[in-house]
């Protein structure tokens, strides 16, 4: 649970974004507090992935403001690199570096971006592999691992930078049903440890169990914003009701 | 993590394939349909007539093979002074010993089954016997490359058939040993036996040596090559055994150091062989201690101290300003007269200063960066000093090397230099900065749009005019420069293909971790791109190796020039006028041996690097 006096970590004000003429985000305004776990759900093409990709500027928003840890995201390269090193991200397709071993995947950024000594980076990496449950895979290449193991390596890789917030972009969508659980278990453990998290997912069970808050996106807007209890049992908006009736 | 419940394994071994008769195999693979049967017969005819005609051509008494054997020294290294030949043998020896050692360290060559070896030996035996029988039959229906024909004598045919039959019998015997399909014969042992046979052959086989015009006697291979080759082959075998022992007895970590040293030795061997051993520079002690050594020390230490500061994480904005200042100093240095070596060092320092923030850090990264700087300064100063020192080898003509050695120097130098340039051009062409993109694109298109032979003519006719006064470049240097520039353009396009094959997610993942563009390129995209284009790169290396023969047009005495121009025009001490067909066949054979080896190496590399691929 989030302390009531927790600091606002991510503040979005009227964020708008277009792909060509098509408006993906139509003025998103929301705040994420430190330690909060926010789950973003919504139909395909509703702009939820674009929204979290704006938070570490993999996509540039065109109007509105995004402030992460008191730094505003602008075109200033130094701000972007600073924010990126504090915001961890996990992708749907894992995006591990196929030419590097698991341990090198994890230590690369701490070594060269954080400038940590190698021994320290390797120690952290070993601890993280322990934490995500695959310490024995350290010297393998990503191609030799299962999807679930790859995604856990990707989580460890993001955590190795000691981020203050973690973004998850549909982390289980590319996995076999048998492997979804092992990734969700890691994410649950992470949420319990107090990490600030924004998770785009279709896993309703995860949302119900772990989320502090659920955002429902549709047509580039936040339609519903509330606790999981409120969201699943007493949705206000017709669109939300329709969505829930189709998936539950 | 997840516990798996494994059910009882009920899988079975695959069924034995039903036995097939040879007739069945022939029907299925050679005569499956009417059209295929026609093609099979047609192709067989071409092979039979081709082998017969070629053999008769090669064995014709009119062939002057003595033109090749007598001029072997000329073909290999042109006019290198005979009394200095120890240098050549030492060079060849270094390469062979390194080769033997590397083959063991990289565990080249697995094991094959007696069955497979037997089949190969049988094939060789049957081919030799069959070829001579075909030659004796003298099938020449529609092309007549050997007027008169009948050059394959009955005696030669009988010998070949007997040898072929013996080989076939040995091969057949091998396929009949116990467990013939078990893979237990090391390939390298077979290679060892073959090399042993080569040594024996060198001491027994006789080659034609001319004693007078159109009169040859058959003598043993001159002892000037038999002794050194025997020593070199034995040494390389020793190198192999030492490597094998090292790889078996050493720990993983120590062995990794051995492998790294080996790579360094290979890289160092080429400049050392060419610039030190073969060139034998006349070292000027005064200049070495009075100029080069202080220069290296000064740049190494003062530059090192500067880089130590810049590579630390505390340098920040002040560091960037200092780096920019060094870049300006390096640029300005080109407007003032000074030795080129100083400019090279200044430019290097500027590049290192710019990269200091990206590749530096605390502890090991910082130390590694400084080490690289130190090595670079030493290597750069050493190489420039060597090139600038005159050679003591007295050779008629402009360059001390010729023949196959010159071909190798041209090829290896151009490939080594064009590699970094090509990668830079590829990065420039895919860059988001328009100035780099346009410059690289224009360069690549212009360079590729003009034939290499034209560029070589430019190098020889126009470059001397364009150079600043007082700067003179030798012919070999000019050829190398333009072959490098040309090859880099092609390399760049290959590498660009690799860069474009990298999925978007790799960029996003690296950016999300906060990597800068340079780090992203060096650690993520470039290694993957280069791996993806290895086949194309090796193709490029092979092409460049063969393209070196174009320098014959500008009068350099490379391998082909000697084979095509020099020997066929020789009239003293023996009359070899018109022996061009023999020399060209020999040249083609030598080019083929090396290009074929390259392509085999490439196959191996592809397999090896495929390990970590998704």
């Amino acid at each position: 649970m989030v302390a009531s006096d927790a600091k606002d970590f991510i503040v979005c004000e009227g964020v708008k974004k277009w792909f060509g003429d098509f408006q993906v985000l139509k003025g998103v305004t929301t705040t994420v507090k430190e330690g909060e776990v926010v789950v973003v759900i919504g139909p395909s093409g509703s702009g939820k992935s674009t929204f979290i990709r704006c938070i570490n500027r993999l996509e540039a928003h065109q109007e509105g403001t995004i402030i992460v840890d008191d730094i505003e995201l602008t075109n200033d390269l130094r701000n972007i690199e600073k924010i990126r090193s504090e915001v961890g991200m996990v992708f749907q397709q894992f995006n591990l570096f196929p030419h590097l071993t698991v341990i090198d995947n994890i230590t690369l950024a701490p070594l060269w971006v954080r400038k940590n000594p190698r021994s320290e980076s390797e120690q952290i990496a070993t601890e993280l592999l322990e934490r995500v449950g695959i310490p024995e895979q350290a010297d393998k290449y990503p191609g030799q691992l299962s999807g679930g193991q790859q995604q856990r390596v990707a989580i460890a890789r993001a955590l190795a930078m000691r981020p203050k917030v973690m973004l998850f972009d549909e982390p289980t969508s590319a996995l076999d049903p048998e492997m979804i659980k092992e990734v969700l278990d890691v994410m649950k453990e992470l949420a319990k440890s107090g990490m600030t998290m924004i998770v785009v997912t279709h896993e309703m069970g995860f949302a119900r169990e772990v989320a502090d808050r659920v955002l429902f996106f549709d047509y580039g807007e936040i339609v519903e914003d509330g606790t999981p209890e409120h969201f699943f049992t007493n949705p206000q908006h017709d669109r939300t009701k329709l969505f829930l009736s189709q998936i539950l | 993590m997840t516990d798996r419940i494994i059910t009882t394994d009920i899988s079975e071994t695959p069924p034995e394939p039903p036995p097939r008769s040879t007739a069945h195999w022939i029907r299925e693979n050679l005569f499956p349909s009417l059209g295929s049967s026609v093609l099979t017969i047609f192709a067989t005819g071409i092979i039979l007539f081709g082998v017969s005609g070629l053999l008769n051509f090669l064995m014709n008494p009119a062939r002057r093979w003595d033109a090749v054997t007598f001029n072997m020294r000329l073909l290999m290294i042109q006019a290198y002074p005979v009394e200095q030949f120890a240098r050549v043998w030492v060079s060849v020896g270094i390469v062979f010993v390194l080769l033997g050692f590397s083959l063991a360290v990289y565990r080249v060559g697995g094991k094959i089954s007696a069955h497979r070896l037997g089949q190969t030996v049988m094939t060789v035996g049957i081919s030799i016997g069959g070829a001579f029988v075909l030659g004796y039959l003298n099938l020449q229906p529609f092309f007549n490359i050997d007027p008169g024909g009948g050059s394959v004598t009955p005696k030669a045919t009988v010998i070949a058939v007997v040898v072929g039959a013996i080989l076939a019998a040995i091969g057949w015997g091998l396929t009949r040993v116990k467990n013939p399909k078990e893979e237990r014969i090391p390939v390298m042992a077979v290679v060892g036996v073959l090399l042993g046979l080569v040594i024996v052959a060198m001491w027994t086989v006789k080659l034609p040596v001319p004693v007078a015009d159109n009169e040859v006697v058959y003598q043993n291979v001159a002892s000037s090559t038999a002794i050194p080759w025997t020593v070199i082959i034995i040494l390389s075998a020793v190198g192999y055994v030492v490597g094998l022992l090292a790889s078996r007895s050493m720990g993983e970590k120590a062995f990794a150091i051995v492998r790294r040293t080996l790579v360094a030795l290979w890289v160092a061997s080429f400049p050392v062989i060419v610039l030190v051993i073969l060139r034998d520079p006349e070292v000027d002690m005064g200049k070495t201690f009075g100029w080069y050594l202080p220069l290296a020390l000064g740049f190494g230490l003062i530059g090192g101290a500067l880089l130590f500061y810049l590579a630390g994480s505390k340098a920040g904005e002040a560091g960037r300003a200092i780096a920019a200042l060094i870049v300006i100093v390096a640029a300005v240095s080109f407007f003032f007269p000074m030795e080129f070596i100083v400019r090279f060092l200044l430019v290097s320092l500027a590049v290192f200063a710019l990269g200091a923030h990206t590749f530096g850090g605390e502890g090991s990264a910082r130390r590694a960066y400084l080490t690289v700087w130190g090595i670079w300064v030493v290597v750069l100063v050493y190489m420039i000093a060597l090139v600038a020192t005159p050679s003591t080898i007295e050779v008629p003509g402009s360059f001390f090397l010729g023949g196959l050695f010159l071909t190798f120097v041209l090829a290896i130098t151009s490939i080594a230099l064009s590699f970094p340039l090509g990668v830079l051009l590829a990065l420039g062409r895919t860059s988001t900065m328009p100035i780099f993109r346009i410059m690289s694109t224009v360069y690549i298109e212009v360079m590729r749009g003009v034939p290499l032979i034209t560029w070589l003519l430019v190098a020889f006719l126009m470059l001397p005019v364009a150079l600043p006064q007082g700067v003179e470049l030798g012919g070999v240097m000019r050829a190398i420069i333009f072959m490098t520039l040309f090859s880099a353009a092609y390399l760049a396009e290959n590498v660009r293909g690799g860069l474009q094959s990298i999925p978007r997610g790799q960029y996003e993942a690296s950016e999300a971790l906060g990597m800068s563009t340079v780090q992203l390129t060096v650690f993520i995209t470039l290694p993957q791109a280069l791996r993806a284009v290895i086949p194309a790169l090796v193709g490029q290396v092979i092409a460049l190796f063969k393209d070196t023969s174009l320098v014959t047009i500008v009068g350099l005495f490379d391998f082909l020039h000697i084979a095509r121009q020099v020997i066929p025009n020789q009239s003293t001490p023996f009359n070899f006028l018109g022996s061009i067909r023999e020399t060209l066949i020999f040249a083609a054979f030598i080019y083929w041996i090396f290009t074929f080896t390259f392509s085999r190496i490439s196959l191996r590399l592809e397999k090896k690097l495929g390990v970590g691929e998704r």
Side-chain angles (χ1 to χ4, degrees):
Chain A
M1 271 290 94
V2 189
S4 51
D5 58 344
K7 156 184 167 200
D8 290 347
F9 195 75
I10 298 172
V11 182
C12 301
E13 255 327 306
V15 175
K16 293 180 186 172
K17 159 104 192 145
W18 288 261
F19 284 136
D21 287 337
F22 178 71
Q23 188 169 11
V24 206
L25 297 178
K26 299 172 180 168
V28 176
T29 302
T30 190
T31 306
V32 178
K33 288 184 186 305
E34 210 158 10
E36 199 171 19
V37 177
V38 177
V39 169
V40 182
I41 52 185
S44 305
S46 59
K48 52 194 194 308
S49 278
T50 309
F51 169 63
I52 72 163
R53 287 158 66 87
C54 279
I55 294 175
N56 66 354
R57 201 132 177 128
L58 285 183
E59 305 282 357
H61 60 284
Q62 283 138 318
E63 274 179 34
T65 54
I66 300 177
I67 298 171
V68 181
D69 199 15
D70 300 328
I71 305 171
E72 187 178 346
L73 272 179
T74 59
N75 276 326
D76 189 334
L77 214 68
R78 272 168 297 180
N79 281 352
I80 296 173
E81 276 179 18
K82 177 135 180 28
I83 286 174
R84 279 179 180 162
S85 66
E86 290 187 359
V87 178
M89 182 144 187
V90 176
F91 299 86
Q92 182 180 351
Q93 298 296 341
F94 329 136
N95 293 346
L96 292 177
F97 306 130
H99 61 300
L100 299 177
T101 58
V102 164
I103 194 96
D104 288 339
N105 261 280
I106 300 175
T107 54
L108 187 69
L111 269 176
W112 298 105
V113 179
R114 279 264 187 270
K115 310 276 186 199
N116 290 342
R118 181 172 287 275
S119 54
E120 189 189 320
S121 307
E122 274 173 8
Q123 196 197 332
I124 293 175
T126 316
E127 283 168 18
L128 284 170
L129 281 177
E130 201 93 37
R131 188 168 165 191
V132 298
I134 40 175
E136 71 283 359
Q137 312 286 5
D139 293 321
K140 287 198 181 158
Y141 285 92
Q144 297 166 298
L145 304 183
S146 73
Q149 291 171 327
Q150 289 194 41
Q151 192 60 296
R152 286 187 277 161
V153 172
I155 294 173
R157 178 176 71 177
L159 288 175
M161 289 292 283
R162 298 258 179 263
K164 293 181 178 163
V165 55
M166 287 282 284
L167 309 176
F168 290 84
D169 188 1
E170 305 203 19
T172 56
S173 299
L175 296 176
D176 292 344
E178 270 190 319
M179 297 166 180
I180 291 178
K181 184 174 173 295
E182 62 189 47
V183 171
L184 288 183
D185 283 345
V186 170
M187 289 167 65
K188 280 176 200 166
E189 186 268 331
L190 197 59
K192 279 200 196 96
S193 74
M195 173 66 76
T196 315
M197 289 163 64
I198 304 182
V199 185
V200 173
T201 187
H202 296 294
E203 296 295 326
M204 294 305 145
F206 177 81
R208 206 189 282 251
E209 189 183 339
V210 183
D212 293 315
R213 198 145 64 89
V214 174
L215 300 181
F216 181 71
F217 261 71
D218 199 21
Y219 293 111
E221 286 176 290
I222 296 177
V223 179
E224 195 96 32
D225 178 354
T227 61
E229 214 163 82
H230 159 89
F231 179 79
F232 285 108
T233 54
N234 187 22
Q236 300 300 304
H237 203 279
D238 286 344
R239 185 68 190 90
T240 323
K241 285 176 195 160
L242 180 67
F243 180 76
L244 286 173
S245 74
Q246 277 163 347
I247 61 158
L248 289 180
Chain B
M1 188 95 181
T2 3
D3 292 312
R4 286 232 175 132
I5 300 160
I6 298 181
T7 50
T8 321
D9 191 357
I10 55 158
S11 39
E12 302 167 29
T13 49
E16 281 284 322
R20 288 282 170 90
S21 68
T22 317
H24 198 95
W25 185 91
I26 289 175
R27 195 165 67 236
E28 265 196 355
N29 291 284
L30 298 179
F31 302 101
S33 69
L34 186 63
S36 313
S37 305
V38 171
L39 286 178
T40 301
I41 291 167
F42 187 65
T44 314
I46 289 184
I47 293 171
L48 295 183
F49 294 131
V51 169
S52 175
L54 185 66
L55 209 61
N56 272 296
F57 176 79
L58 295 179
M59 308 247 332
N60 193 318
R63 292 287 87 75
R64 298 295 310 269
W65 292 113
D66 51 333
V68 174
T69 51
F70 179 77
N71 286 305
M72 193 58 82
R73 193 176 278 166
L74 196 64
L75 282 162
M76 291 300 139
I77 195 154
Q78 205 213 350
Y80 201 81
V82 180
E83 63 277 10
Q84 299 277 4
F85 253 44
R87 295 179 179 279
V88 176
W89 289 117
V90 168
S91 310
V92 178
I94 290 175
V95 172
F96 269 73
V97 171
L98 275 179
L99 199 64
F101 193 64
S102 309
L103 288 176
V105 167
Y106 290 101
R107 299 192 180 91
V108 176
K111 293 188 170 173
I112 55 168
S113 63
H115 187 258
R116 178 123 178 260
L117 182 63
Q119 277 184 332
T120 313
V121 175
M122 233 153 71
T123 313
V124 171
I126 292 172
S127 305
I128 292 176
F132 273 79
V133 170
L134 285 174
Y136 181 69
L137 293 176
N138 194 20
L139 314 165
Q140 296 195 27
F142 50 84
F143 47 78
N144 193 3
I145 52 175
D146 180 32
S151 306
V152 180
T153 58
K155 187 185 161 201
T157 313
V158 169
I159 293 175
V161 168
V162 170
V163 169
I166 292 172
L167 282 177
I170 294 175
W172 186 81
L174 276 170
T175 60
R176 287 285 173 274
V177 294
K178 230 171 147 191
N179 297 332
K181 303 240 164 161
E182 192 190 336
E183 299 193 332
R184 57 186 166 178
I185 303 178
V187 174
M188 292 313 292
V190 178
V191 173
V193 170
L194 287 178
L195 283 177
L197 288 178
V198 167
I199 294 181
V200 172
M202 268 190 304
W203 291 93
T204 52
V205 170
K206 297 178 189 314
L207 285 176
V209 178
V211 284
D213 279 343
N214 296 321
E215 200 186 328
V216 296
V217 292
Y218 286 82
Q219 288 180 356
N220 272 352
V221 180
S223 59
S224 73
T225 58
I227 293 174
W229 274 121
T230 309
V231 172
I232 284 170
I233 289 175
I234 290 173
L235 279 181
S236 69
V238 170
Y240 181 77
V241 172
V242 169
L244 214 57
L245 291 179
S247 72
R248 293 224 173 118
S249 62
M250 282 175 133
E252 194 57 42
K253 266 220 170 121
F255 196 54
I257 296 173
V258 170
R259 266 192 305 226
R260 228 177 281 170
T261 319
L262 193 57
V263 172
L265 281 176
W266 271 115
V267 173
S269 67
F270 177 69
V272 168
I273 284 175
V274 174
L275 295 176
V276 181
I277 299 181
L278 290 177
R279 198 165 174 275
D280 189 22
E282 190 172 19
V283 181
D284 178 353
M285 285 298 163
K287 186 140 190 188
T288 306
F289 287 103
W291 171 236
Y292 291 123
L293 211 61
L295 198 67
L297 272 178
F299 265 93
L301 293 180
I302 299 174
L306 207 59
L307 289 174
F308 182 75
Y309 168 69
L310 292 177
S313 46
K314 290 180 197 71
E317 292 294 307
R320 283 165 207 245
I322 294 175
L325 201 68
I326 299 173
V327 174
I328 294 170
V329 171
V332 168
S333 77
F334 279 83
F335 293 95
F336 293 96
M338 62 177 71
E339 284 214 36
F340 256 91
I341 187 168
V342 182
R343 289 183 192 151
F344 276 126
L345 282 168
L346 277 172
V347 171
S348 312
L349 184 60
V351 172
F352 270 80
L354 283 180
H357 180 70
T358 312
F359 298 106
E362 296 304 325
S364 58
R366 199 176 188 176
R367 277 198 300 278
Y369 199 65
L370 285 174
T371 314
V372 174
W373 165 250
I375 293 173
W376 174 250
V377 169
V378 171
V379 169
L380 188 71
V381 173
Y382 187 64
M383 298 274 282
I384 293 179
L386 276 180
V387 174
T389 326
S391 166
T392 53
I393 302 290
E394 282 188 18
V395 179
S398 58
F399 196 63
F400 68 103
L401 283 180
L404 194 60
F405 267 71
L406 176 61
T407 295
F408 270 111
V409 168
L410 290 172
I412 296 177
T413 318
S414 313
I415 289 162
L417 294 179
S418 65
F419 209 82
L421 184 60
V423 168
L424 282 181
L425 282 168
L427 292 175
R429 192 157 187 186
T430 50
S431 161
T432 46
M433 290 176 74
I435 180 154
F436 290 137
R437 202 172 56 236
I438 293 169
M439 271 171 58
S440 308
T441 311
V442 169
Y443 175 90
I444 290 169
E445 295 305 339
V446 169
M447 224 56 206
R448 291 199 311 163
V450 178
L452 176 56
I453 206 158
T454 314
W455 286 123
L456 288 172
L457 290 172
V458 168
F460 278 78
L461 303 174
M462 287 166 65
L463 189 66
V465 188
L467 283 176
Q469 225 168 13
V471 179
E472 264 182 53
L473 287 175
V476 172
M477 198 63 112
R478 279 182 269 164
I480 285 175
I481 290 175
F482 272 83
M483 283 199 303
T484 302
L485 296 178
F486 184 78
S487 164
Y490 275 92
L491 263 169
E493 285 299 275
N494 287 337
V495 175
R496 181 171 71 106
L499 284 171
Q500 282 170 343
S501 73
I502 290 172
R504 177 104 211 95
Q506 294 288 308
Y507 292 89
E508 287 181 353
S510 320
E511 280 170 11
L513 287 165
M515 282 188 216
S516 68
T517 316
V518 178
Q519 288 168 339
L520 165 79
T521 308
V522 172
F523 296 128
I524 308 299
T525 55
L526 208 50
Q528 294 187 52
L530 291 180
R531 246 163 248 231
V533 298
I534 281 175
L537 292 184
V538 177
Q540 180 70 37
V541 169
I542 291 175
L544 187 61
F545 178 68
K546 291 183 294 176
D547 281 351
T548 54
S549 56
L550 289 175
V551 298
T552 178
I553 213 80
V554 289
L556 292 186
F557 285 79
D558 78 312
F559 186 53
L560 187 71
H561 187 95
I562 291 169
R564 195 177 74 111
Q565 300 273 348
V566 179
I567 299 174
N569 291 322
Q570 240 174 14
S571 52
T572 51
F574 302 107
N575 184 8
F576 291 133
L577 285 177
S579 59
I580 187 162
R581 280 172 295 191
E582 292 81 354
T583 52
L584 282 185
I585 286 176
F586 178 72
F589 179 64
I590 296 291
Y591 278 114
W592 175 80
I593 285 181
F594 286 106
T595 47
F596 183 68
T597 312
F598 290 152
S599 79
R600 291 285 117 172
I601 293 173
S602 135
L603 274 182
R604 218 188 120 71
L605 264 179
E606 267 172 66
K607 268 190 205 149
K608 198 165 169 226
L609 292 175
V611 170
E613 290 296 325
R614 60 185 104 204

